[in-house]
Amino acid sequence: MTAVPTLPAHSTEVLLRRRTPWWHLSRSGLFFAAAYVLISMSPSLLPRTWYFQGLITGLCAAAGYGVGVLLGWLSRRAARAVGLHVFVSEQAGHVLRIVGPTLVAAGVVLVTVSNVRSQARTASVVRLTPLSPLDWVLALGLAAVIAVAFLLVARGLRGLTRRLAVAVGRVLPRTIASVVAVVVVATGTAWVSDSVLFRRGMQLMAAAASQVNDETTGRPAPTSSLRSGGPGSLVGYDSLGYQGQMFVTSAPTTAQLTAATGRAATEPIRVYAGRPDDEDIAQVAGQVVAELRRTGAFDRKVLAVVTSTGTGWVDDYSVQAIEYLSDGDSAVASMQYSFLPSALAVITDRQTPREAGAALFDAVYAEWSRRPADSRPRLVVAGESLGSYGAQAAFTDVDDMMAKAQGGVFVGTPSFSPMHERLTESRVPGSPEIAPVVDDGQHVRFATRGSQLLTDYYGRPYGDWEFPRFVYAQHPSDPVVWWNPALLGSQPDWLREPRGSDVNPDVTWIPFATFWQVTTDMAVGHDPSDGFGHRYGAELVPEWAAVLGLPLDADLSRIVDGVEKTVNRVA
């Protein structure tokens, strides 16, 4: 009889809980889920495809429902603790049951229409087509599937926790049994999520990326000895990977260079090394330097060290800008350090891009430093997206970069890059985060478009631009630049300050939701035309012209046309 005070109470509570139908939904949970659904449909930097809209809406609905359930439970516990009871007459309750849902439904419709129109404005700003009514139906259908899936999983875990608590409660006090059950189920869920779902998912995506890397471009190996993979090359064409093959076979010819500039041209050098599984980053960097020596790259006018993205991709706009502006008297060196897409590499491994950027530049710099100072090429650095993040890791700070490199263009740099972050934080008061002014633009200038080099974002002229010169190209609508885990809980300056011209004024920061919106924006960053999102095209020509020392008012229209005709757009 000693167990009677504990077990019946526990058992009664369990029985009472079991009487609740499995399909029962929390009212507070539904309220917050609806609120989060509306929030998820609010505009962000870029218009979403229907499936990404469905994904983010489903995630927000599930999160909102969980928040509502938790708050409802806490409020009931607090009310019982203080003895608070709320009574509503039958007539008033009847009115509330009719008027309440009606008002909520009307509010949902109005806000939904407003959000749909606002997303259409976002599409218009970046010159894309907005979602159609059918797209919205598909998005909401997918969102419902995702939300229900999360709800079923959550209820399954809750049921497992209760059953485990009952079992443990036979040998331990009820409170301790409940704590043990929660800890065990939470630990098991975390292990399954990380070791089974996340890691296995990453392995599958890595395997798919590896297959893409192993694919051939269909292009024949270079016939020029000035290309890696060509005659006399120290690295085989097949070892370069898909993006490496694209890189070495995409250089413009001397005839194309001359047609654009009207001057005699030299055949440009392009050097690249793939990364086999049995070689480390330092070995790959050493192969690049050996190729530079073989091709005579250190005798050229310009030598560019470009850190690739996760897949090994190198932006051909940036490279061809260098080649056209130098009349082909240039050498561009890059290498592969991974075959994962940049978005996946950011999640799984941020260290390797930094190691690769530092290893490649340091190896080239060491060889370059041995050459006579009066006969060295101009050494410049570059990178886009994750490549920009990695390229800047070669330097401890801006002073170190100016001491070693003689210029550079960093494109679409993630805001979590240490040097980018320090420069932004040190900006002149009054200059916006989307285009910070640092030391009156003496050496470093941020540009939201190619023509923004002589004045700041508000049209105020800079002082003298001294050498070496560095440009950070970043669009206000580029989600790769502005994605940051800090978006989960804090509003960034770029959403406090006036929006960029390519950003919908309706965009606002919303806890949790904005992070996922910008995350999905990254997946569609290349959908807009050049000049918007993560698409940087011919605007890089005037930026490289300034870095290489051409007159800032030079007519570059023929070079821009030449680059547009010959550039490799495959990313």
Side-chain angles (χ1 to χ4, degrees):
M1 298 298 290
T2 55
V4 172
T6 301
L7 271 181
H10 191 186
S11 301
T12 299
E13 184 177 352
V14 172
L15 288 173
L16 286 174
R17 288 174 178 172
R18 287 178 178 172
R19 289 175 187 170
T20 303
W22 65 269
W23 42 263
H24 171 76
L25 295 173
S26 163
R27 292 180 181 177
S28 60
L30 286 175
F31 176 81
F32 278 88
Y36 272 58
V37 165
L38 294 177
I39 288 171
S40 73
M41 297 168 65
S42 62
S44 55
L45 297 177
L46 298 174
R48 307 173 200 112
T49 59
W50 69 265
Y51 41 89
F52 281 122
Q53 180 63 65
L55 173 63
I56 189 173
T57 298
L59 290 173
C60 286
Y65 186 83
V67 169
V69 170
L70 176 61
L71 292 178
W73 178 80
L74 290 175
S75 64
R76 290 191 299 271
R77 296 279 293 187
R80 284 199 296 268
V82 300
L84 177 64
H85 298 280
V86 179
F87 296 96
V88 179
S89 66
E90 182 177 350
Q91 183 178 4
H94 180 69
V95 172
L96 288 174
R97 282 191 292 272
I98 295 176
V99 175
T102 301
L103 292 176
V104 170
V108 167
V109 171
L110 289 174
V111 175
T112 298
V113 171
S114 175
N115 282 337
V116 170
R117 289 178 175 174
S118 191
Q119 284 214 39
R121 283 195 292 273
T122 295
S124 176
V125 167
V126 297
R127 303 175 187 175
L128 288 176
T129 303
L131 294 181
S132 67
L134 176 59
D135 290 329
W136 280 107
V137 171
L138 293 173
L140 293 176
L142 176 60
V145 171
I146 292 173
V148 169
F150 272 96
L151 178 62
L152 293 177
V153 170
R155 291 195 167 180
L157 294 174
R158 182 182 65 181
L160 178 61
T161 302
R162 287 176 175 173
R163 287 192 291 271
L164 182 58
V166 171
V168 177
R170 296 191 178 99
V171 295
L172 294 175
R174 176 183 171 187
T175 301
I176 296 178
S178 298
V179 172
V180 169
V182 170
V183 171
V184 169
V185 173
T187 302
T189 302
W191 180 84
V192 171
S193 299
D194 179 63
S195 300
V196 179
L197 298 180
F198 179 77
R199 293 184 183 276
R200 182 56 179 164
M202 293 299 104
Q203 290 173 355
L204 291 175
M205 286 187 281
S210 178
Q211 290 181 351
V212 172
N213 182 66
D214 292 339
E215 291 178 0
T216 60
T217 61
R219 298 182 176 189
T223 57
S224 170
S225 62
L226 300 181
R227 309 279 193 278
S228 291
S233 175
L234 303 176
V235 294
Y237 183 63
D238 292 339
S239 71
L240 301 181
Y242 182 88
Q243 296 294 353
Q245 292 179 11
M246 293 296 295
F247 172 71
V248 299
T249 58
S250 299
T253 64
T254 55
Q256 290 169 328
L257 294 172
T258 297
T261 65
R263 300 183 296 268
T266 304
E267 184 180 1
I269 295 171
R270 290 197 180 189
V271 166
Y272 193 94
R275 184 186 179 185
D277 294 335
D278 57 347
E279 292 186 2
D280 60 27
I281 289 175
Q283 290 176 304
V284 180
Q287 291 178 350
V288 172
V289 172
E291 279 287 276
L292 289 173
R293 284 195 297 262
R294 178 188 69 81
T295 55
F298 292 99
D299 297 322
R300 291 299 175 102
K301 180 181 179 181
V302 179
L303 172 57
V305 180
V306 183
T307 303
S308 66
T309 64
T311 60
W313 176 74
V314 176
D315 183 4
D316 210 36
Y317 268 108
S318 193
V319 175
Q320 290 211 24
I322 296 171
E323 292 168 338
Y324 272 87
L325 292 166
S326 63
D327 297 324
D329 193 7
S330 63
V332 181
S334 188
M335 73 179 200
Q336 184 178 38
Y337 55 84
S338 170
F339 46 77
L340 298 178
S342 293
L344 184 59
V346 166
I347 296 173
T348 60
D349 181 15
R350 292 191 192 179
Q351 186 58 33
T352 301
R354 293 177 58 81
E355 292 177 355
L360 179 59
F361 182 84
D362 288 348
V364 175
Y365 180 76
E367 182 70 20
W368 175 86
S369 299
R370 298 189 188 102
R371 308 285 168 144
D374 58 351
S375 61
R376 297 171 182 165
R378 181 191 294 267
L379 181 62
V380 296
V381 291
E384 179 171 334
S385 189
L386 195 64
S388 176
Y389 169 75
Q392 294 173 65
F395 314 103
T396 56
D397 53 29
V398 174
D399 290 336
D400 184 47
M401 182 169 68
M402 289 193 295
K404 294 179 178 177
Q406 296 174 303
V409 175
F410 302 112
V411 183
T413 307
S415 62
F416 55 77
S417 302
M419 191 179 301
H420 180 282
E421 192 172 27
R422 289 194 295 270
L423 286 169
T424 302
E425 290 174 350
S426 65
R427 69 187 184 273
V428 173
S431 63
E433 184 178 14
I434 56 175
V437 175
V438 181
D439 293 333
D440 198 28
Q442 184 176 13
H443 288 286
V444 179
R445 297 189 179 182
F446 286 77
T448 60
R449 57 189 183 278
S451 59
Q452 187 190 320
L453 295 171
L454 298 179
T455 62
D456 68 9
Y457 187 74
Y458 296 115
R460 294 170 297 204
Y462 285 116
D464 293 336
W465 197 357
E466 300 180 6
F467 291 97
R469 296 173 177 176
F470 298 88
V471 174
Y472 281 83
Q474 54 186 39
H475 297 150
S477 59
D478 185 353
V480 173
V481 175
W482 309 118
W483 182 91
N484 197 308
L487 283 172
L488 283 166
S490 62
Q491 183 179 12
D493 287 345
W494 57 272
L495 283 178
R496 286 194 187 95
E497 300 162 344
R499 307 288 186 272
S501 59
D502 53 342
V503 175
N504 186 342
D506 296 339
V507 176
T508 56
W509 176 76
I510 304 168
F512 182 79
T514 298
F515 170 79
W516 289 109
Q517 287 175 332
V518 177
T519 299
T520 54
D521 285 344
M522 286 199 296
V524 295
H526 283 95
D527 286 1
S529 56
D530 290 347
F532 302 98
H534 198 54
R535 286 284 294 269
Y536 298 84
E539 67 191 271
L540 300 180
V541 173
E543 292 166 358
W544 270 114
V547 168
L548 295 177
L550 274 71
L552 296 177
D553 58 351
D555 182 8
L556 303 173
S557 57
R558 292 181 61 186
I559 292 179
V560 168
D561 290 341
V563 171
E564 288 281 15
K565 291 177 182 177
T566 59
V567 73
N568 161 38
R569 290 179 175 269
V570 179

Short mmCIF file of all heavy atoms in Angstrom, two decimals, residues 41-50 53 114-132 135-136 477 501-507 521 524 527-533:
data_model
loop_
_atom_site.label_atom_id
_atom_site.label_comp_id
_atom_site.label_asym_id
_atom_site.label_seq_id
_atom_site.Cartn_x
_atom_site.Cartn_y
_atom_site.Cartn_z
N MET A 41 6.12 34.33 -45.32
CA MET A 41 5.74 34.77 -46.66
C MET A 41 6.14 36.22 -46.92
O MET A 41 5.93 36.74 -48.02
CB MET A 41 4.24 34.59 -46.87
CG MET A 41 3.80 33.14 -46.81
SD MET A 41 2.00 32.95 -46.70
CE MET A 41 1.51 33.61 -48.29
N SER A 42 6.70 36.87 -45.91
CA SER A 42 7.14 38.25 -46.09
C SER A 42 8.34 38.29 -47.03
O SER A 42 9.06 37.30 -47.18
CB SER A 42 7.50 38.88 -44.74
OG SER A 42 8.57 38.19 -44.13
N PRO A 43 8.60 39.42 -47.69
CA PRO A 43 9.67 39.48 -48.69
C PRO A 43 11.05 39.48 -48.05
O PRO A 43 11.24 39.87 -46.90
CB PRO A 43 9.40 40.81 -49.40
CG PRO A 43 8.74 41.65 -48.35
CD PRO A 43 7.88 40.70 -47.56
N SER A 44 12.02 39.01 -48.83
CA SER A 44 13.42 39.08 -48.42
C SER A 44 14.23 39.61 -49.60
O SER A 44 13.70 40.33 -50.44
CB SER A 44 13.93 37.72 -47.93
OG SER A 44 13.72 36.73 -48.91
N LEU A 45 15.50 39.27 -49.68
CA LEU A 45 16.37 39.89 -50.69
C LEU A 45 16.01 39.50 -52.12
O LEU A 45 16.13 40.30 -53.04
CB LEU A 45 17.83 39.53 -50.40
CG LEU A 45 18.39 40.04 -49.07
CD1 LEU A 45 19.81 39.54 -48.88
CD2 LEU A 45 18.35 41.56 -49.04
N LEU A 46 15.61 38.24 -52.30
CA LEU A 46 15.31 37.75 -53.64
C LEU A 46 13.98 37.01 -53.64
O LEU A 46 13.58 36.44 -52.62
CB LEU A 46 16.42 36.80 -54.12
CG LEU A 46 17.83 37.40 -54.27
CD1 LEU A 46 18.83 36.31 -54.62
CD2 LEU A 46 17.86 38.50 -55.33
N PRO A 47 13.29 36.97 -54.78
CA PRO A 47 12.06 36.18 -54.86
C PRO A 47 12.39 34.69 -54.81
O PRO A 47 13.41 34.25 -55.33
CB PRO A 47 11.48 36.58 -56.22
CG PRO A 47 12.66 37.04 -57.02
CD PRO A 47 13.60 37.66 -56.04
N ARG A 48 11.53 33.93 -54.15
CA ARG A 48 11.80 32.51 -53.97
C ARG A 48 11.05 31.67 -54.99
O ARG A 48 9.99 32.07 -55.47
CB ARG A 48 11.39 32.07 -52.56
CG ARG A 48 12.01 32.93 -51.49
CD ARG A 48 11.46 32.60 -50.10
NE ARG A 48 11.72 33.75 -49.23
CZ ARG A 48 10.81 34.54 -48.73
NH1 ARG A 48 9.53 34.30 -48.97
NH2 ARG A 48 11.14 35.57 -47.99
N THR A 49 11.59 30.52 -55.30
CA THR A 49 10.85 29.54 -56.07
C THR A 49 9.77 28.95 -55.16
O THR A 49 9.84 29.06 -53.93
CB THR A 49 11.78 28.43 -56.57
OG1 THR A 49 12.39 27.80 -55.42
CG2 THR A 49 12.87 28.99 -57.46
N TRP A 50 8.79 28.27 -55.75
CA TRP A 50 7.68 27.75 -54.93
C TRP A 50 8.17 26.71 -53.93
O TRP A 50 7.67 26.64 -52.80
CB TRP A 50 6.60 27.16 -55.83
CG TRP A 50 6.98 25.88 -56.55
CD1 TRP A 50 7.47 25.77 -57.80
CD2 TRP A 50 6.88 24.55 -56.02
NE1 TRP A 50 7.72 24.45 -58.11
CE2 TRP A 50 7.35 23.67 -57.03
CE3 TRP A 50 6.45 24.00 -54.82
CZ2 TRP A 50 7.39 22.29 -56.87
CZ3 TRP A 50 6.49 22.62 -54.65
CH2 TRP A 50 6.96 21.78 -55.66
N GLN A 53 9.91 28.48 -51.05
CA GLN A 53 8.89 29.13 -50.23
C GLN A 53 8.16 28.09 -49.38
O GLN A 53 7.89 28.31 -48.19
CB GLN A 53 7.89 29.86 -51.12
CG GLN A 53 6.79 30.57 -50.36
CD GLN A 53 7.32 31.67 -49.46
OE1 GLN A 53 7.87 32.65 -49.95
NE2 GLN A 53 7.16 31.53 -48.16
N SER A 114 -1.07 40.97 -48.98
CA SER A 114 -0.02 41.99 -48.90
C SER A 114 1.36 41.38 -49.13
O SER A 114 2.19 41.95 -49.85
CB SER A 114 -0.08 42.67 -47.52
OG SER A 114 0.98 43.58 -47.36
N ASN A 115 1.62 40.21 -48.54
CA ASN A 115 2.92 39.56 -48.70
C ASN A 115 3.14 39.10 -50.14
O ASN A 115 4.25 39.20 -50.67
CB ASN A 115 3.04 38.37 -47.75
CG ASN A 115 3.34 38.79 -46.33
OD1 ASN A 115 3.88 39.87 -46.10
ND2 ASN A 115 3.00 37.94 -45.37
N VAL A 116 2.10 38.57 -50.76
CA VAL A 116 2.23 38.12 -52.15
C VAL A 116 2.57 39.30 -53.05
O VAL A 116 3.44 39.21 -53.93
CB VAL A 116 0.92 37.43 -52.61
CG1 VAL A 116 0.95 37.19 -54.13
CG2 VAL A 116 0.74 36.10 -51.88
N ARG A 117 1.90 40.42 -52.83
CA ARG A 117 2.19 41.62 -53.64
C ARG A 117 3.60 42.13 -53.36
O ARG A 117 4.31 42.57 -54.28
CB ARG A 117 1.16 42.71 -53.32
CG ARG A 117 -0.24 42.41 -53.87
CD ARG A 117 -1.21 43.51 -53.48
NE ARG A 117 -2.52 43.29 -54.10
CZ ARG A 117 -3.59 44.04 -53.84
NH1 ARG A 117 -3.50 45.06 -52.99
NH2 ARG A 117 -4.73 43.80 -54.45
N SER A 118 4.02 42.07 -52.09
CA SER A 118 5.35 42.56 -51.75
C SER A 118 6.43 41.68 -52.37
O SER A 118 7.45 42.17 -52.84
CB SER A 118 5.50 42.62 -50.23
OG SER A 118 6.68 43.30 -49.88
N GLN A 119 6.21 40.35 -52.37
CA GLN A 119 7.18 39.47 -53.03
C GLN A 119 7.24 39.73 -54.53
O GLN A 119 8.29 39.60 -55.16
CB GLN A 119 6.85 38.00 -52.75
CG GLN A 119 7.22 37.54 -51.37
CD GLN A 119 7.67 36.08 -51.35
OE1 GLN A 119 8.37 35.63 -52.25
NE2 GLN A 119 7.28 35.37 -50.32
N ALA A 120 6.10 40.11 -55.11
CA ALA A 120 6.09 40.46 -56.53
C ALA A 120 6.93 41.71 -56.76
O ALA A 120 7.62 41.83 -57.79
CB ALA A 120 4.66 40.68 -57.01
N ARG A 121 6.90 42.66 -55.80
CA ARG A 121 7.74 43.85 -55.93
C ARG A 121 9.22 43.48 -55.86
O ARG A 121 10.05 44.04 -56.57
CB ARG A 121 7.39 44.86 -54.83
CG ARG A 121 6.10 45.63 -55.09
CD ARG A 121 5.98 46.84 -54.18
NE ARG A 121 5.80 46.48 -52.79
CZ ARG A 121 4.63 46.23 -52.22
NH1 ARG A 121 3.51 46.30 -52.96
NH2 ARG A 121 4.53 45.93 -50.95
N THR A 122 9.55 42.53 -54.98
CA THR A 122 10.94 42.06 -54.91
C THR A 122 11.39 41.50 -56.25
O THR A 122 12.49 41.78 -56.73
CB THR A 122 11.09 40.99 -53.81
OG1 THR A 122 10.82 41.57 -52.54
CG2 THR A 122 12.50 40.42 -53.80
N ALA A 123 10.53 40.69 -56.87
CA ALA A 123 10.86 40.11 -58.17
C ALA A 123 11.05 41.21 -59.22
O ALA A 123 11.96 41.15 -60.05
CB ALA A 123 9.76 39.15 -58.62
N SER A 124 10.22 42.23 -59.14
CA SER A 124 10.33 43.33 -60.10
C SER A 124 11.64 44.09 -59.93
O SER A 124 12.28 44.48 -60.92
CB SER A 124 9.14 44.28 -59.93
OG SER A 124 9.27 45.40 -60.77
N VAL A 125 12.06 44.29 -58.70
CA VAL A 125 13.29 45.04 -58.42
C VAL A 125 14.50 44.36 -59.04
O VAL A 125 15.39 45.01 -59.59
CB VAL A 125 13.49 45.22 -56.90
CG1 VAL A 125 14.90 45.71 -56.59
CG2 VAL A 125 12.47 46.20 -56.33
N VAL A 126 14.54 43.02 -58.96
CA VAL A 126 15.70 42.29 -59.50
C VAL A 126 15.40 41.68 -60.87
O VAL A 126 16.12 40.81 -61.34
CB VAL A 126 16.16 41.19 -58.51
CG1 VAL A 126 16.64 41.81 -57.21
CG2 VAL A 126 15.06 40.18 -58.24
N ARG A 127 14.30 42.14 -61.48
CA ARG A 127 13.96 41.77 -62.86
C ARG A 127 13.71 40.28 -63.04
O ARG A 127 14.22 39.66 -63.98
CB ARG A 127 15.05 42.26 -63.81
CG ARG A 127 15.29 43.76 -63.72
CD ARG A 127 16.45 44.21 -64.58
NE ARG A 127 16.77 45.61 -64.35
CZ ARG A 127 17.81 46.25 -64.90
NH1 ARG A 127 18.61 45.59 -65.72
NH2 ARG A 127 18.05 47.52 -64.63
N LEU A 128 12.92 39.72 -62.14
CA LEU A 128 12.52 38.33 -62.25
C LEU A 128 10.99 38.24 -62.27
O LEU A 128 10.29 39.19 -61.92
CB LEU A 128 13.07 37.50 -61.08
CG LEU A 128 14.58 37.22 -61.08
CD1 LEU A 128 14.97 36.48 -59.82
CD2 LEU A 128 14.98 36.41 -62.32
N THR A 129 10.48 37.09 -62.67
CA THR A 129 9.04 36.87 -62.72
C THR A 129 8.53 36.41 -61.35
O THR A 129 9.09 35.48 -60.77
CB THR A 129 8.69 35.80 -63.77
OG1 THR A 129 9.22 36.21 -65.04
CG2 THR A 129 7.20 35.61 -63.87
N PRO A 130 7.49 37.04 -60.82
CA PRO A 130 6.97 36.62 -59.51
C PRO A 130 6.27 35.27 -59.59
O PRO A 130 5.96 34.77 -60.68
CB PRO A 130 5.99 37.74 -59.15
CG PRO A 130 5.56 38.30 -60.47
CD PRO A 130 6.76 38.19 -61.37
N LEU A 131 6.02 34.69 -58.43
CA LEU A 131 5.32 33.41 -58.37
C LEU A 131 3.89 33.56 -58.89
O LEU A 131 3.23 34.57 -58.64
CB LEU A 131 5.27 32.89 -56.93
CG LEU A 131 6.61 32.51 -56.28
CD1 LEU A 131 6.39 31.99 -54.87
CD2 LEU A 131 7.34 31.47 -57.11
N SER A 132 3.43 32.53 -59.59
CA SER A 132 2.06 32.52 -60.10
C SER A 132 1.13 31.97 -59.02
O SER A 132 1.58 31.40 -58.02
CB SER A 132 1.98 31.62 -61.33
OG SER A 132 2.22 30.26 -60.97
N ASP A 135 1.90 28.46 -58.30
CA ASP A 135 3.13 28.33 -57.51
C ASP A 135 2.82 28.48 -56.01
O ASP A 135 3.37 27.75 -55.18
CB ASP A 135 4.16 29.38 -57.93
CG ASP A 135 4.73 29.12 -59.31
OD1 ASP A 135 4.83 27.94 -59.69
OD2 ASP A 135 5.08 30.10 -60.00
N TRP A 136 1.97 29.44 -55.69
CA TRP A 136 1.62 29.65 -54.27
C TRP A 136 0.86 28.46 -53.71
O TRP A 136 1.05 28.06 -52.57
CB TRP A 136 0.81 30.93 -54.12
CG TRP A 136 1.66 32.16 -54.11
CD1 TRP A 136 1.79 33.09 -55.10
CD2 TRP A 136 2.53 32.58 -53.07
NE1 TRP A 136 2.69 34.06 -54.75
CE2 TRP A 136 3.16 33.78 -53.49
CE3 TRP A 136 2.85 32.07 -51.82
CZ2 TRP A 136 4.06 34.48 -52.70
CZ3 TRP A 136 3.76 32.77 -51.03
CH2 TRP A 136 4.35 33.95 -51.46
N SER A 477 21.57 43.20 -52.62
CA SER A 477 20.63 42.08 -52.73
C SER A 477 21.33 40.73 -52.78
O SER A 477 20.68 39.71 -53.08
CB SER A 477 19.78 42.25 -54.00
OG SER A 477 20.61 42.30 -55.16
N SER A 501 19.39 50.07 -53.45
CA SER A 501 18.43 50.33 -54.54
C SER A 501 17.86 49.05 -55.12
O SER A 501 16.81 49.08 -55.77
CB SER A 501 19.11 51.14 -55.64
OG SER A 501 20.24 50.44 -56.16
N ASP A 502 18.53 47.92 -54.92
CA ASP A 502 18.04 46.65 -55.45
C ASP A 502 17.40 45.78 -54.36
O ASP A 502 17.27 44.56 -54.53
CB ASP A 502 19.18 45.88 -56.14
CG ASP A 502 20.39 45.70 -55.24
OD1 ASP A 502 20.52 46.44 -54.24
OD2 ASP A 502 21.23 44.83 -55.54
N VAL A 503 16.99 46.41 -53.26
CA VAL A 503 16.33 45.69 -52.18
C VAL A 503 14.95 46.29 -51.93
O VAL A 503 14.81 47.51 -51.82
CB VAL A 503 17.16 45.74 -50.88
CG1 VAL A 503 16.41 45.08 -49.72
CG2 VAL A 503 18.50 45.05 -51.09
N ASN A 504 13.95 45.44 -51.85
CA ASN A 504 12.58 45.88 -51.59
C ASN A 504 12.51 46.62 -50.25
O ASN A 504 12.94 46.09 -49.23
CB ASN A 504 11.67 44.65 -51.56
CG ASN A 504 10.21 44.99 -51.45
OD1 ASN A 504 9.83 46.09 -51.07
ND2 ASN A 504 9.36 44.02 -51.77
N PRO A 505 11.99 47.85 -50.22
CA PRO A 505 11.88 48.58 -48.95
C PRO A 505 11.04 47.88 -47.91
O PRO A 505 11.13 48.20 -46.71
CB PRO A 505 11.24 49.92 -49.37
CG PRO A 505 11.52 50.05 -50.82
CD PRO A 505 11.54 48.65 -51.36
N ASP A 506 10.20 46.91 -48.32
CA ASP A 506 9.34 46.20 -47.38
C ASP A 506 10.10 45.18 -46.53
O ASP A 506 9.56 44.66 -45.55
CB ASP A 506 8.22 45.46 -48.13
CG ASP A 506 7.29 46.42 -48.85
OD1 ASP A 506 7.26 47.60 -48.47
OD2 ASP A 506 6.59 45.97 -49.79
N VAL A 507 11.34 44.87 -46.92
CA VAL A 507 12.10 43.85 -46.19
C VAL A 507 12.39 44.34 -44.77
O VAL A 507 12.91 45.44 -44.57
CB VAL A 507 13.43 43.53 -46.91
CG1 VAL A 507 14.26 42.53 -46.10
CG2 VAL A 507 13.14 42.96 -48.29
N ASP A 521 17.45 32.28 -49.85
CA ASP A 521 17.84 33.23 -50.90
C ASP A 521 19.17 32.83 -51.53
O ASP A 521 19.39 33.04 -52.73
CB ASP A 521 17.97 34.65 -50.32
CG ASP A 521 16.62 35.31 -50.05
OD1 ASP A 521 15.61 34.80 -50.56
OD2 ASP A 521 16.60 36.31 -49.31
N VAL A 524 19.01 30.67 -54.56
CA VAL A 524 18.55 31.28 -55.82
C VAL A 524 19.36 32.53 -56.13
O VAL A 524 18.94 33.37 -56.93
CB VAL A 524 17.04 31.62 -55.74
CG1 VAL A 524 16.23 30.35 -55.61
CG2 VAL A 524 16.74 32.57 -54.57
N ASP A 527 19.89 33.38 -59.80
CA ASP A 527 18.73 33.48 -60.68
C ASP A 527 18.57 34.84 -61.35
O ASP A 527 18.16 34.91 -62.51
CB ASP A 527 17.45 33.14 -59.90
CG ASP A 527 17.33 31.65 -59.61
OD1 ASP A 527 18.24 30.89 -60.01
OD2 ASP A 527 16.33 31.24 -58.99
N PRO A 528 18.87 35.97 -60.66
CA PRO A 528 18.68 37.27 -61.32
C PRO A 528 19.71 37.48 -62.43
O PRO A 528 20.64 36.69 -62.62
CB PRO A 528 18.91 38.28 -60.18
CG PRO A 528 18.78 37.50 -58.92
CD PRO A 528 19.26 36.12 -59.25
N SER A 529 19.54 38.57 -63.15
CA SER A 529 20.51 38.93 -64.18
C SER A 529 21.72 39.58 -63.52
O SER A 529 21.71 39.89 -62.32
CB SER A 529 19.86 39.88 -65.19
OG SER A 529 19.34 41.02 -64.53
N ASP A 530 22.77 39.80 -64.32
CA ASP A 530 23.99 40.41 -63.79
C ASP A 530 23.68 41.75 -63.14
O ASP A 530 22.90 42.55 -63.66
CB ASP A 530 25.01 40.61 -64.91
CG ASP A 530 25.59 39.29 -65.41
OD1 ASP A 530 25.40 38.27 -64.73
OD2 ASP A 530 26.23 39.29 -66.49
N GLY A 531 24.32 42.00 -62.01
CA GLY A 531 24.10 43.25 -61.30
C GLY A 531 23.18 43.11 -60.11
O GLY A 531 23.01 44.06 -59.33
N PHE A 532 22.58 41.91 -59.94
CA PHE A 532 21.68 41.67 -58.83
C PHE A 532 22.03 40.34 -58.16
O PHE A 532 22.63 39.46 -58.78
CB PHE A 532 20.22 41.62 -59.31
CG PHE A 532 19.77 42.86 -60.01
CD1 PHE A 532 19.78 42.93 -61.40
CD2 PHE A 532 19.35 43.97 -59.31
CE1 PHE A 532 19.36 44.07 -62.06
CE2 PHE A 532 18.93 45.12 -59.95
CZ PHE A 532 18.94 45.17 -61.33
N GLY A 533 21.62 40.21 -56.90
CA GLY A 533 21.88 38.97 -56.20
C GLY A 533 23.36 38.64 -56.21
O GLY A 533 24.22 39.50 -56.02
#
